[in-house]
Amino acid sequence: MDVASLQQCAGRTAAAPPHPLDPLSSPEVAAAAAACRAHAAAAAPRLPPLRFNTITLQEPPKADLLRFTNGRGPRPPRRAFCILQTPPIFGVIEATIDLSHFHAAGAAAAAVVSWVAIDGNDMGGQPLATPDDCLEAERIARASPRVQAVLAERGVSMDQVACDPWAIHAGKWKGRMMQVFTYLKLGPDDNEYARPLDVVPVVDLNTGQVVDIEAYPEAPKNIPTAGGNYHRDLVEQPFREAPKPLYVVQPEGPSFKVDGWRVEWQQWDLRLGFNGREGLVLYDVGYTDPQEGGRRRPVVFRASIVEMAVPYADPSSPYNRKCAFDAGDYGLGFAANSLKLGCDCLGVVQYFDAVVNNAQGEPVVIPSAVCLHEEDAGLLWKHVDYRTGYSEDRRARRLVISFIMTAVNYEYCFYWYLHQDGTISHEIKLTGILSTSLLMPGEGDKSRYGTMVAEGVNAAAHQHIFSARLDMAVDDEDGGRGLVVSELNAVRHPSHPLTNPAGNAFTESETDLITVHAARRQSSAADARVWRVKNPARPHPFTRKPVAYHLYTPGGPVLLAAEDSVVARRGKFTTATLHVTPYKDGQL
């Protein structure tokens, strides 16, 4: 997109500058990329061509945003944050682009305000692997004569191979590395995970070379041949009989209202956002309370899923490196589906397009990436007067905000729910296909560290651990500055002839979590443990205790890998159910 086109796009929207939290538009992404290229050409003309990893909104500092939203300060500058690469140089450039005047003055007004080059040897990690990076890793592996020769030893030609690129979090290699798991794919719609191969090339994205190939010491004698297809034209068993049609109709339309990225529903209001790493973000969630004279009560300043870890249990090389941090490795938003291709929302649906970027710095629109709808949620409340037989009941409705992403073999479906009783909940549904491996030599006919899903095909045991970042603002106009988090546990009282003669007494204990170290907590169903996010400045009118939200977490273990494992070192969030830390700008 050239500068003239950008100015035309900007001119069409100049009348309404975006809200400071609105995601970058396509023209803004293109303008940020153009500003980076112009700056590089002027300041470092010998620099290799820029490869754009990420172009995203740089959210304003929290204090500035609060002053603006509360009517006490000016509109914060609108800026884009860019992560750039210059292969074959090992490192990144972090650039900040001011877009504050873009909507009024056009693309020429986009200006670089920060440009920091970071040597790859000084970084504790690497930028995420974008969809373009994953395709590049596959291209490098496919083009390698060495890889082709190893596959030929197994009687497999490259046109029969599917390649799954995975990030590498530890190993003997230095650089921007990816490992490529290979599978036999007998046709364009064949399910490759039914036929895993033992060949795993390791590629360097910066140099464009295969630096290593890992394979079993001897070529496997028997590559699995059984099909396991899901494509409707290839399934070997007929589909089950379909149920009768079920229709959800809303003849009067939905109960929600949408203005740009702002949503209102049943006393709730919030802003939606979207970026390449986290995908869907909720901002400034509030509830207008009729019992408080219609006062809007802040609930959440910002909420998103910021990371997830999927560590696999097989200790054999190369599978002991098999672990995905899907948000940091690939980007939940970069991998988001267009829900036009399939969505489980019924009734009246509002879709939101998302904009990310490709390696050339061009905007990439994901049509209908976010789905907004409301749905019946069963019984909300019911009571029957058993003396008279009189009954009252209320149906529940909930607002659903969702998106779905594909991480190679798996689909993750993320759902935020707002309920009429003031509850907020989050659900993640996992679907897709298991990532498989070929049995190692000497393992016999089964693996100790997985489940056999077909003859010779192992699905290694693994976990899915998610990190939800919740910046709460419970009834606090200052964005949650005055909140305190405490832990509640049920306490069983021993029998006592005076204080508990029947032995039935129990109470709860409450402990404020004051330090970061003390606030690394584990769930405990035996203690009915919950965490309370409370506002001491706002006492409840009846209990006189601080108003609060309770945080309930699902059961399940934290990380099962060893404490000194790579996963535990890189993903500290996996080692505890709850971490409470002070807010700090820039920690996203």
Side-chain angles (χ1 to χ4, degrees):
M1 185 178 289
D2 58 27
V3 172
S5 299
L6 290 173
Q7 291 173 333
Q8 290 173 3
C9 292
R12 288 196 295 269
T13 59
H19 186 276
L21 293 175
D22 282 356
L24 295 183
S25 64
S26 290
E28 288 177 318
V29 168
C36 288
R37 282 191 288 265
H39 181 88
R46 295 185 179 181
L47 200 66
L50 297 180
R51 184 178 178 90
F52 291 83
N53 181 273
T54 298
I55 303 175
T56 191
L57 175 72
Q58 184 179 74
E59 296 178 14
K62 186 175 182 178
D64 294 349
L65 188 60
L66 285 168
R67 282 192 288 269
F68 171 73
T69 55
N70 292 332
R72 300 195 301 264
R75 178 183 294 271
R78 185 161 176 83
R79 291 179 170 174
F81 176 69
C82 304
I83 299 176
L84 315 171
Q85 296 163 293
T86 53
I89 297 174
F90 181 41
V92 300
I93 297 168
E94 294 183 348
T96 304
I97 317 301
D98 191 347
L99 298 171
S100 300
H101 305 291
F102 167 71
H103 285 262
V112 174
V113 295
S114 175
W115 186 273
V116 179
I118 305 174
D119 189 302
N121 295 300
D122 298 331
M123 298 190 301
Q126 289 289 311
L128 57 78
T130 65
D132 285 343
D133 290 333
C134 291
L135 293 173
E136 178 69 4
E138 182 172 355
R139 185 198 65 77
I140 294 169
R142 286 184 173 280
S144 168
R146 294 171 56 203
V147 174
Q148 295 169 9
V150 175
L151 289 168
E153 293 175 1
R154 287 146 176 80
V156 177
S157 61
M158 188 55 79
D159 61 358
Q160 295 177 304
V161 174
C163 300
D164 279 6
W166 285 56
I168 298 178
H169 300 286
K172 58 187 177 182
W173 311 279
K174 188 72 173 179
R176 185 158 169 74
M177 302 296 175
M178 295 196 79
Q179 55 192 339
V180 180
F181 294 97
T182 58
Y183 303 85
L184 179 62
K185 191 176 182 73
L186 299 181
D189 297 320
D190 187 42
N191 175 19
E192 64 269 24
Y193 299 106
R195 302 180 183 89
L197 300 171
D198 65 310
V199 180
V200 183
V202 176
V203 306
D204 187 333
L205 290 176
N206 279 336
T207 65
Q209 300 294 318
V210 172
V211 299
D212 205 348
I213 301 174
E214 295 193 286
Y216 296 168
E218 296 182 5
K221 297 179 180 179
N222 297 309
I223 295 174
T225 57
N229 286 300
Y230 58 88
H231 193 286
R232 63 181 60 249
D233 294 336
L234 299 175
V235 291
E236 298 169 3
Q237 299 291 333
F239 288 117
R240 68 189 298 172
E241 182 181 354
K244 303 299 182 185
L246 174 65
Y247 299 104
V248 176
V249 295
Q250 295 179 273
E252 298 180 16
S255 301
F256 56 76
K257 298 178 182 178
V258 176
D259 180 10
W261 289 88
R262 187 174 184 274
V263 177
E264 295 181 15
W265 178 81
Q266 291 285 291
Q267 270 68 61
W268 288 103
D269 68 272
L270 71 157
R271 301 198 70 87
L272 305 182
F274 195 94
N275 62 64
R277 177 178 174 127
E278 300 164 287
L280 177 63
V281 182
L282 308 188
Y283 298 109
D284 192 21
V285 183
Y287 189 88
T288 300
D289 191 345
Q291 297 185 18
E292 290 268 335
R295 181 173 68 88
R296 183 185 186 274
R297 307 178 71 177
V299 178
V300 179
F301 182 78
R302 190 185 194 279
S304 68
I305 301 298
V306 294
E307 190 53 281
M308 54 184 284
V310 188
Y312 283 70
D314 192 335
S316 305
S317 180
Y319 307 116
N320 54 4
R321 294 196 310 270
K322 201 170 185 181
C323 174
F325 291 91
D326 286 298
D329 285 350
Y330 310 107
L332 305 183
F334 277 111
N337 294 178
S338 170
L339 297 179
K340 287 185 176 180
L341 303 178
C343 179
D344 61 357
C345 304
L346 300 175
V348 178
V349 177
Q350 172 79 42
Y351 290 108
F352 298 82
D353 295 347
V355 179
V356 291
N357 63 278
N358 63 16
Q360 288 71 48
E362 299 165 335
V364 176
V365 178
I366 306 173
S368 303
V370 175
C371 172
L372 172 73
H373 76 291
E374 55 184 345
E375 61 188 21
D376 183 271
L379 189 66
L380 177 64
W381 177 86
K382 179 181 175 69
H383 180 64
V384 177
D385 186 327
Y386 76 92
R387 296 176 181 85
T388 65
Y390 180 75
S391 174
E392 284 274 3
D393 59 75
R394 311 284 188 269
R395 295 295 299 179
R397 190 80 63 88
R398 67 184 181 187
L399 187 70
V400 186
I401 313 159
S402 62
F403 81 105
I404 300 172
M405 63 85 68
T406 298
V408 189
N409 56 294
Y410 273 135
E411 270 70 31
Y412 294 94
C413 313
F414 298 89
Y415 301 84
W416 287 97
Y417 300 124
L418 300 184
H419 302 264
Q420 291 170 304
D421 62 359
T423 301
I424 302 174
S425 57
H426 189 70
E427 180 181 26
I428 302 170
K429 300 178 183 179
L430 173 64
T431 182
I433 306 175
L434 292 166
S435 180
T436 56
S437 58
L438 193 63
L439 276 179
M440 297 284 291
E443 281 191 293
D445 59 358
K446 63 180 180 180
S447 172
R448 180 183 177 187
Y449 303 100
T451 300
M452 302 305 298
V453 293
E455 185 176 353
V457 181
N458 177 42
H462 57 283
Q463 293 180 272
H464 298 264
I465 306 172
F466 298 86
S467 177
R469 184 180 187 271
L470 306 176
D471 187 7
M472 302 297 291
V474 180
D475 226 0
D476 185 355
E477 298 288 349
D478 204 18
R481 180 187 294 272
L483 303 186
V484 176
V485 180
S486 61
E487 179 176 289
L488 278 67
N489 290 288
V491 178
R492 179 186 290 112
H493 288 232
S495 297
H496 188 278
L498 296 179
T499 60
N500 190 20
N504 64 303
F506 61 90
T507 56
E508 68 178 14
S509 66
E510 181 173 4
T511 304
D512 290 348
L513 305 177
I514 302 300
T515 67
V516 171
H517 178 74
R520 294 183 67 254
R521 307 300 300 162
Q522 309 292 356
S523 61
S524 175
D527 296 303
R529 182 169 296 166
V530 298
W531 293 284
R532 176 176 288 169
V533 185
K534 57 187 178 181
N535 185 346
R538 294 282 189 182
H540 189 276
F542 303 138
T543 67
R544 308 311 302 169
K545 294 181 178 180
V547 296
Y549 262 76
H550 281 178
L551 179 62
Y552 295 88
T553 58
V558 294
L559 182 68
L560 295 175
E563 293 180 359
D564 60 349
S565 66
V566 172
V567 183
R569 295 198 305 269
R570 292 193 67 87
K572 292 291 187 183
F573 73 91
T574 65
T575 61
T577 308
L578 177 75
H579 301 262
V580 183
T581 61
Y583 178 88
K584 184 177 180 181
D585 284 324
Q587 281 194 334
L588 291 177

